[in-house]
Amino acid sequence: MDSLVIAGRHFNSRLMVGTGKFSSHSAMQSAMGASGCEIVTVALRRVDINNPGDNMLQHIDRERYLLLPNTSGARDAEEAVRLARLARAAGCEPWIKLEVTPDPYYLLPDPIETLKAAIILIKEGFNVLPYMPADPVLARRLEEAGTVTLMPLGAPIGTNRGLRTRDLIAIIIEQANIPVVVDAGLGAPSHAAEAMEMGADAVLVNTALADTANPTLMGEAFKKGVEAGRLAYLAGLGPQRVKAQASSPLTGFLREE
Amino acid sequence: MSFYTLLQQYPASDLKKRLYEISPEDIDRALSQQKLSVADFICLLSPKINNDQLETLAGIAHRITSQRFGRTIQLYAPLYLSNECHNGCKYCGFSADNHDLRRKTLNDDEILREGDHLHRQGFRHILLLTGEAPEAAGVDYLEHAVKLLSAKFSSLSIEVFPMSRDDYQRLEHVGIDGLALYQETYDQRLYPELHPFGPKSDFRYRLEAPERAGEAGLRRIGIGALLGLGDYLTDAFYTGLHARYLMHRFWRTQVSISFPRLRPAEGGFAPRSIVTDRQLTQLICALRLFLPDAGLILSTRESAELRDNLLPLGITQMSAGSCTAPGGYEGDEGDGEQFAISDHRSPEEIRVLLAERGYEAVWKDWDGAFLGQPE
């Protein structure tokens, strides 16, 4: 499959995985392995970033995966920036998944604070991957500010509801010059495939893998869903029509002279 | 509108009547709702629920919790700083009336020693507790204790006396991110009987403390009623209503609920009613459906067996290896305890048990950096 390029770095997988909610570190590790992902995101609030012996970090092979720290739990730009700096000071690469989610319930991203934080972090040399509402104007503004991806939500985090913001994500994909990663709300491999068929460059999943009896099998299922969707996008989906159209024309014989 | 005003709109007598008038069909209807109204919540609390309906309720509660919070349980430990208290709460071991209790407020060395003990066991979230004796352990003392402990812990919360908005703000500035404050009972007639003297006898000042904490910007607020003091059903209802009120009003604050339950003749106090395991299970599940996003907390007050069984039904946080006497973790005899705990397993044993049950113990789920603590 063609590779995904973010900030000049090539990735073979178009599936990113979140590390929250798993029943054990080994379940997480196994799901990650089966999914074929190369980028995993970890909430900074969950890890002791200054401690290499931290239980969760130990389970993430840094040779195999790009560890993408995220700022989940940050309520405003200032807090997110502080967390990002903390991660870099502790030796993480300057990649940050920016999450500013002031309400602890729906965990929806704050567009104003997200843009504000992105501007500061980009100036400081971070590669910023912002979790964002599926708002095409905000997408333009973030891209203009210099983020390396756009990560619009398909549905609120953890809801497994699929591409509820489909029409807006289609506009974002159409307009973007940087990779669009559908993040949050994808609950089934078919949702992931749908996002990829639309032309999303990648997807990120977490709850769908963590909240199942068999995270490993689900990891593999998402891998295939993402690959199938990407291949279909590359092949070009046929147009949808209201009426049936035979694959071999029924009236072709009339034209055979 | 303060919660006090909202509380007046649900008189206990009406509520009790409604709870007992619920039909099986009402409960079925409430069980089929995607989003619960207050009326649905009342249906699910009703003592009329049958075993099949309770099983359905538990199944939904499990599903919601697993999807929303994942297969993780966050662990924390209480650190009792002081047992000095001017209040006369009838049910509490720290009551000023209890002349047999050895009174103690930890000094700096003792605070650090207790902190080190909990840190060694793996805890990164701790809850600081005191009685209500401002001259011994007031806001200045707490502020100092937080400064002593903040380097070791990623989250420090308080379960102390209610205070003013300014005082909450002061503590927030030094690194307190959460508040636990239990109303004990929402029954305004019973409250003065149980709290005959001391500053705690002011029902409304206590009731509105979580609002002052929300105004001060505290990130986490935990509430609860001491089940068994009054009518447990109405208290459970008001707790849910209170939590929902706080969530709506302080949309940036995570609200959680605890379920402390009085046991027979605890500390010589005879509870008005004994809440059974079945009743406790029902109300935890009903609260989970009413408030899918609330943190639900179970303490070591409950037995190991019950805690294990309640795990999948909605619980998101647990204390472990707790001692309720100041200085009790390190060396001290622990004879100054507030209440006896039932679950004596060590934090490590709890971690192993969680793993066996398919849950990951989460020791750290917060960072002082959010509040601008050491960068």
Side-chain angles (χ1 to χ4, degrees):
Chain A
M1 210 164 56
D2 62 324
S3 63
L4 167 70
V5 184
I6 302 175
R9 189 156 163 174
H10 290 250
F11 301 93
N12 292 316
S13 165
R14 291 176 175 269
L15 174 59
M16 305 180 186
V17 168
T19 52
K21 295 186 176 179
F22 283 93
S23 61
S24 67
H25 292 322
S26 56
M28 170 189 88
Q29 220 170 11
S30 172
M32 277 160 43
S35 76
C37 71
E38 292 166 321
I39 301 179
V40 296
T41 182
V42 179
L44 283 162
R45 64 164 208 272
R46 277 287 295 274
V47 298
D48 187 356
I49 197 80
N50 288 307
N51 173 13
D54 177 88
N55 210 356
M56 187 188 269
L57 293 181
Q58 271 183 343
H59 285 81
I60 299 170
D61 178 356
R62 308 274 275 266
E63 300 286 307
R64 180 169 173 189
Y65 303 108
L66 170 66
L67 179 72
L68 182 62
N70 73 59
T71 61
S72 91
R75 209 149 73 158
D76 54 32
E78 197 187 322
E79 292 180 5
V81 167
R82 210 152 44 213
L83 258 88
R85 287 176 183 156
L86 196 77
R88 185 153 70 175
C92 286
E93 294 186 67
W95 289 63
I96 192 84
K97 179 167 183 258
L98 178 60
E99 296 186 20
V100 186
T101 52
D103 105 85
Y105 305 112
Y106 286 97
L107 298 167
L108 294 170
D110 181 326
I112 298 159
E113 295 295 317
T114 301
L115 180 61
K116 224 193 280 181
I119 291 169
I120 297 170
L121 291 170
I122 290 160
K123 243 184 229 156
E124 295 185 9
F126 281 93
N127 290 325
V128 176
L129 296 84
Y131 174 50
M132 56 177 287
D135 174 348
V137 176
L138 178 66
R140 294 274 208 194
R141 297 283 300 261
L142 285 163
E143 184 178 336
E144 236 166 40
T147 62
V148 298
T149 60
L150 298 166
M151 302 184 76
L153 59 91
I157 290 182
T159 57
N160 293 337
R161 291 166 67 83
L163 280 178
R164 299 287 161 149
T165 56
R166 190 188 156 94
D167 293 353
L168 293 165
I169 286 182
I171 300 173
I172 294 174
I173 292 171
E174 178 201 323
Q175 297 177 338
N177 303 295
I178 48 178
V180 176
V181 185
V182 177
D183 179 5
L186 304 182
S190 56
H191 298 155
E194 185 186 353
M196 297 305 293
E197 285 168 6
M198 283 170 66
D201 296 277
V203 299
L204 189 147
V205 290
N206 184 348
T207 303
L209 301 192
D211 186 26
T212 165
N214 194 334
T216 311
L217 209 54
M218 193 59 92
E220 193 185 338
F222 266 91
K223 176 183 198 279
K224 291 185 169 162
V226 168
E227 286 173 358
R230 180 65 183 174
L231 292 175
Y233 171 74
L234 292 175
L237 289 176
Q240 293 189 9
R241 296 187 182 86
V242 177
K243 287 186 180 160
Q245 198 167 50
S247 31
S248 308
L250 297 171
T251 55
F253 70 97
L254 296 175
R255 278 171 262 138
E256 281 167 14
E257 291 177 16
Chain B
M1 182 179 65
S2 119
F3 180 66
Y4 183 77
T5 314
L6 182 63
L7 190 61
Q8 313 309 316
Q9 295 171 11
Y10 294 89
S13 49
D14 290 1
L15 200 59
K16 270 186 220 167
K17 201 161 151 256
R18 276 174 77 183
L19 280 161
Y20 284 91
E21 281 172 355
I22 303 294
S23 71
E25 293 74 29
D26 293 333
I27 297 173
D28 282 338
R29 204 174 317 112
L31 281 169
S32 69
Q33 299 301 319
Q34 281 278 336
K35 241 184 153 63
L36 262 63
S37 65
V38 171
D40 295 325
F41 179 45
I42 294 173
C43 292
L44 296 187
L45 284 174
S46 169
K48 295 287 186 67
I49 195 164
N50 66 36
N51 287 344
D52 288 344
Q53 288 169 326
L54 184 59
E55 182 61 27
T56 306
L57 175 64
I60 302 170
H62 169 63
R63 230 176 26 250
I64 295 174
T65 311
S66 175
Q67 190 183 346
R68 173 65 179 81
F69 294 92
R71 310 212 172 187
T72 64
I73 298 280
Q74 197 234 296
L75 295 179
Y76 73 96
L79 198 173
Y80 279 76
L81 295 171
S82 171
N83 61 10
E84 296 187 56
C85 196
H86 299 315
N87 292 316
C89 314
K90 296 277 192 200
Y91 48 85
C92 177
F94 290 175
S95 169
D97 278 343
N98 184 357
H99 300 295
D100 298 334
L101 187 85
R102 196 162 56 90
R103 301 290 167 170
K104 185 174 178 66
T105 296
L106 302 188
N107 62 30
D108 287 10
D109 283 349
E110 291 165 330
I111 293 173
L112 287 169
R113 219 161 50 214
E114 294 282 284
D116 282 345
H117 176 95
L118 294 173
H119 188 266
R120 272 198 309 277
Q121 290 194 311
F123 290 108
R124 296 297 177 269
H125 289 218
I126 57 171
L127 177 64
L128 305 176
L129 296 96
T130 67
E132 182 154 13
E135 74 291 349
V139 178
D140 291 343
Y141 174 88
L142 283 168
E143 197 177 50
H144 180 67
V146 171
K147 286 179 184 161
L148 288 175
L149 293 165
S150 62
K152 281 209 148 49
F153 296 97
S154 48
S155 166
L156 293 165
S157 308
I158 45 169
E159 184 178 337
V160 298
F161 44 90
M163 46 184 99
S164 67
R165 179 191 151 149
D166 286 352
D167 283 339
Y168 282 130
Q169 216 150 33
R170 228 178 107 190
L171 292 176
E172 199 256 355
H173 285 323
V174 292
I176 288 292
D177 53 78
L179 166 80
L181 194 105
Y182 306 144
Q183 189 58 29
E184 321 296 14
T185 178
Y186 289 87
D187 182 336
Q188 283 175 79
R189 267 183 299 186
L190 178 64
Y191 189 89
E193 269 177 51
L194 296 166
H195 307 93
F197 62 87
K200 192 167 169 179
S201 52
D202 188 339
F203 177 86
R204 189 161 175 180
Y205 189 71
R206 189 172 186 86
L207 186 75
E208 291 175 347
E211 292 164 48
R212 295 193 294 277
E215 285 167 7
L218 282 192
R219 305 293 284 257
R220 274 186 279 271
I221 295 180
I223 60 167
L226 187 47
L227 302 171
L229 281 182
D231 176 68
Y232 86 95
L233 271 180
T234 45
D235 271 338
F237 170 78
Y238 293 133
T239 308
L241 197 69
H242 194 182
R244 199 180 69 150
Y245 164 89
L246 292 169
M247 285 168 154
H248 280 189
R249 181 155 165 215
F250 304 106
W251 63 277
R252 291 180 175 87
T253 295
Q254 169 83 46
V255 176
S256 60
I257 300 171
S258 292
F259 310 92
R261 176 170 64 149
L262 277 175
R263 288 174 306 159
E266 187 172 286
F269 176 80
R272 185 159 292 218
S273 59
I274 297 294
V275 179
T276 65
D277 289 356
R278 185 183 195 272
Q279 289 165 337
L280 183 66
T281 305
Q282 182 187 353
L283 75 89
I284 289 176
C285 293
L287 274 164
R288 171 52 72 224
L289 266 65
F290 184 52
L291 304 168
D293 299 305
L296 301 183
I297 303 172
L298 204 60
S299 83
T300 46
R301 199 184 259 270
E302 296 296 345
S303 72
E305 193 197 350
L306 182 69
R307 295 218 307 165
D308 297 353
N309 287 322
L310 289 178
L311 248 185
L313 300 185
I315 300 302
T316 58
Q317 291 169 57
M318 275 180 143
S319 54
S322 302
C323 173
T324 71
Y329 290 116
E330 280 281 313
D332 230 344
E333 302 298 308
D335 58 349
E337 63 182 14
Q338 187 185 26
F339 58 87
I341 61 168
S342 288
D343 186 344
H344 295 277
R345 293 172 298 188
S346 70
E348 178 56 20
E349 284 171 311
I350 298 275
R351 187 194 66 74
V352 171
L353 171 107
L354 289 173
E356 281 167 10
R357 292 268 174 150
Y359 285 83
E360 173 80 26
V362 172
W363 302 87
K364 179 179 183 292
D365 195 22
W366 185 251
D367 204 290
F370 282 115
L371 301 183
Q373 296 311 300
E375 195 171 315

